[in-house]
């Protein structure tokens, strides 16, 4: 067995069949890889769809293992899948993603060509490209985020021994941030690379409500990641700076509003401070400029409205992320 592909599924009834079909129709010998489906106690029709798929599987499909377990979150599900894997290489793909036909072949080939590498990421293309919001998000915000050699959970592969040696994924990360936490935990033992030949097609948020909800969750996860980093020797000062960074965007507007009612001089001073922070964040640090450039360079047919729309979701999305971070900072210290 050359590769074990782990699909952690929770409420994936809309996409899981397409995901499994893409993984079963690979260019690689189906007897040389396996699929491990970890159903984290989905409350929708995912289980029935998976069982039907397995029952009706054709002869040349790879071996499929299906486990339905108590809901304990994504990281626990990933560790469960690793424990059930027979191959020395393990790969993760989300239930709302589908794999390129050469996905398996290129994972195995890349590991063989890079014997000292223990973690490989790949390219993520847009699946739901018929949705306006998903397209603007993906080609602007998402691609700019991935530009920094990012590896995300929907397309990441490892040498199994590497994950076992560092004790697996961090259990407290139940929805997001699991890969970031793992990389922090791994420290200098991590050796990663990105291969543009390893491709998955992933669904993206299809409206503002979903996106802003995700951004708020990311803020909460960011706080947990910062706390985790302290356990592995990272600077406490850096955490304080990051906390102040997020606090400023939530607290300063409240202070500015109060000062507007009572002191015009202090109002103008704090408004100037907030404006300076805003400019640094979105223009100097390129939180806004970089996604706009990626959107501009994309093959999408664009209008001025699209640039303004992307600007809006980035700025307000960052604000939602700050709220998520601050809520964790202020009200969840016991965690």
């Amino acid at each position: 067995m050359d590769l074990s592909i782990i699909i952690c599924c929770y409420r994936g009834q809309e996409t899981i069949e397409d995901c499994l079909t893409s993984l079963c129709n690979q260019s690689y010998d189906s007897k040389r890889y396996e699929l491990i489906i970890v159903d984290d106690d989905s409350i929708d029709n995912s289980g029935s769809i998976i069982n039907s798929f397995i029952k009706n599987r054709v002869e040349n499909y790879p071996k499929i293992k299906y486990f339905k377990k108590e809901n304990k979150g994504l990281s626990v599900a990933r560790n469960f899948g690793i424990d059930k894997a027979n191959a020395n290489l393990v790969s993760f793909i989300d239930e709302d993603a589908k794999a390129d036909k050469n996905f398996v072949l290129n994972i195995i080939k890349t590991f063989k060509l890079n014997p000292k590498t223990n973690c490989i990421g790949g390219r993520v293309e847009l699946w739901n490209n018929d949705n306006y919001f998903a397209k603007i998000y993906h080609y602007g915000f998402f691609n700019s985020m991935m530009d920094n050699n990012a590896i995300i959970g929907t397309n990441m592969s490892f040498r199994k021994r590497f994950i076992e040696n560092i004790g697996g994924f961090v259990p407290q990360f139940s929805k997001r941030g699991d890969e970031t936490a793992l990389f922090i935990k791994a420290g200098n033992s991590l050796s990663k690379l990105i291969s543009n030949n390893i491709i998955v097609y992933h669904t993206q948020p299809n409206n503002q409500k979903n996106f802003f909800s995700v951004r708020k969750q990311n803020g909460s996860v960011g706080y947990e990641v910062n706390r985790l980093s302290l356990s592995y020797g990272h600077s406490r000062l850096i955490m304080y700076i990051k906390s102040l960074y997020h606090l400023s965007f939530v607290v300063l507007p409240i202070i500015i509003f109060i000062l507007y009612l009572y002191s015009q001089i202090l109002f103008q001073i704090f408004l100037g401070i907030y404006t300076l922070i805003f400019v640094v964040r979105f223009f100097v640090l390129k939180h806004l400029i970089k996604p706009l450039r990626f959107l501009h360079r994309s093959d999408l047919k664009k209008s001025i409205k699209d640039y303004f729309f992307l600007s809006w979701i980035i700025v307000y999305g960052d604000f939602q992320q700050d709220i998520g971070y601050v809520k964790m900072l202020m009200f969840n210290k016991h965690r």
Side-chain angles (χ1 to χ4, degrees):
M1 193 67 64
D2 297 331
L3 179 68
S4 297
I5 304 173
I6 300 168
I7 309 103
C8 298
C9 177
Y10 180 69
R11 301 174 72 175
Q13 66 179 13
E14 300 296 327
T15 55
I16 186 63
E17 186 171 359
D18 286 335
C19 174
L20 295 175
T21 300
S22 72
L23 292 170
C24 289
N25 291 293
Q26 291 286 303
S27 60
Y28 201 74
D29 182 356
S30 62
K31 292 184 175 60
R32 303 302 305 162
Y33 71 98
E34 65 178 355
L35 306 185
I36 301 171
I37 308 165
V38 183
D39 184 348
D40 205 25
D41 200 17
S42 295
I43 57 176
D44 62 1
N45 202 36
S46 295
S48 297
I49 294 171
I50 294 167
N51 280 319
S52 176
F53 185 90
I54 294 173
K55 182 179 178 181
N56 297 314
R57 65 190 292 271
V58 298
E59 188 175 345
N60 65 338
Y61 275 8
K63 183 178 181 180
I64 303 175
K65 304 176 186 176
Y66 174 45
F67 304 94
K68 186 163 185 173
K69 57 178 287 297
E70 180 185 359
N71 181 275
K72 291 186 177 180
L74 181 56
S75 288
V76 173
R78 293 201 193 282
N79 288 335
F80 184 93
I82 292 166
D83 185 61
K84 302 299 181 182
N86 287 325
N88 293 324
L89 301 177
V90 294
S91 181
F92 294 92
I93 184 172
D94 293 345
E95 86 274 357
D96 58 348
K98 56 184 179 181
D100 174 76
K101 188 172 183 63
N102 295 315
F103 178 74
V104 172
L105 173 66
N106 286 327
I107 289 172
I108 295 168
K109 183 187 296 184
T110 304
F111 272 115
K112 285 182 178 179
L113 292 173
N114 299 275
K116 295 184 179 180
T117 297
N118 50 38
C119 172
I120 294 174
R123 205 164 89 226
V124 179
E125 299 290 355
L126 180 62
W127 182 348
N128 53 331
N129 56 11
D130 56 344
N131 180 271
Y132 172 76
F133 186 92
K135 286 192 290 188
I136 296 298
Y137 165 84
H138 181 85
Y139 291 105
F141 179 82
F142 181 82
N143 280 348
S144 70
M145 178 184 69
M146 293 294 291
D147 184 53
N148 191 31
N149 289 325
I151 294 178
I152 63 172
T154 196
N155 189 357
M156 60 182 183
S157 305
F158 301 91
R159 297 189 189 276
K160 184 181 177 184
R161 184 176 296 276
F162 160 73
I163 299 184
E164 291 174 336
N165 286 344
I166 64 173
F169 287 84
V170 183
Q172 72 194 65
F173 292 85
S174 59
K175 292 182 179 179
R176 297 180 177 278
D178 49 291
E179 65 274 70
T180 304
L182 181 77
F183 297 156
I184 290 173
K185 186 179 181 182
N188 294 331
S189 66
L190 178 69
S191 174
K192 64 178 184 177
L193 64 80
I194 308 291
S195 170
N196 286 325
N197 295 322
I198 302 171
I199 305 168
V200 302
Y201 297 85
H202 189 256
T203 59
Q204 301 290 18
N206 56 15
N207 58 60
Q208 295 182 57
K209 182 180 179 181
N210 290 343
F211 172 63
F212 294 144
S213 175
V214 168
R215 293 296 281 160
K216 188 176 288 187
Q217 291 175 22
N218 286 345
S220 301
V221 168
Y223 174 78
E224 295 283 12
V225 167
N226 286 341
R227 286 194 61 193
L228 175 71
S229 68
L230 298 178
S231 304
Y232 294 94
H234 289 220
S235 168
R236 188 171 293 273
L237 176 62
I238 297 298
M239 181 174 180
Y240 290 151
I241 292 172
K242 289 180 178 178
S243 297
L244 183 62
Y245 175 82
H246 292 289
L247 271 168
S248 65
F249 273 80
V250 176
V251 176
L252 277 180
I254 300 172
I255 295 173
I256 290 168
F257 176 75
I258 294 172
L259 291 175
Y260 175 75
L261 300 176
Y262 294 101
S263 172
Q264 285 298 306
I265 294 176
L266 290 176
F267 164 74
Q268 293 175 19
I269 291 173
F270 275 81
L271 181 61
I273 293 172
Y274 190 75
T275 302
L276 178 61
I277 294 173
F278 185 94
V279 170
V280 169
R281 182 174 192 168
F282 291 104
F283 293 90
V284 177
L285 298 179
K286 301 180 180 179
H287 281 214
L288 178 58
I289 297 298
K290 189 176 179 182
L292 289 174
R293 286 176 177 168
F294 268 81
L295 180 63
H296 181 70
R297 292 202 296 258
S298 72
D299 294 330
L300 286 181
K301 185 178 180 180
K302 301 168 284 290
S303 67
I304 294 297
K305 183 196 79 169
D306 300 330
Y307 292 105
F308 276 108
F309 183 70
L310 178 60
S311 299
W312 150 250
I313 66 171
I314 288 172
V315 173
Y316 191 65
D318 269 27
F319 183 69
Q320 290 295 318
Q321 180 179 348
D322 294 335
I323 290 176
Y325 189 101
V326 171
K327 284 179 68 176
M328 289 295 294
L329 176 68
M330 302 298 293
F331 304 113
N332 291 275
K333 288 184 177 180
H334 63 281
R335 291 183 63 185

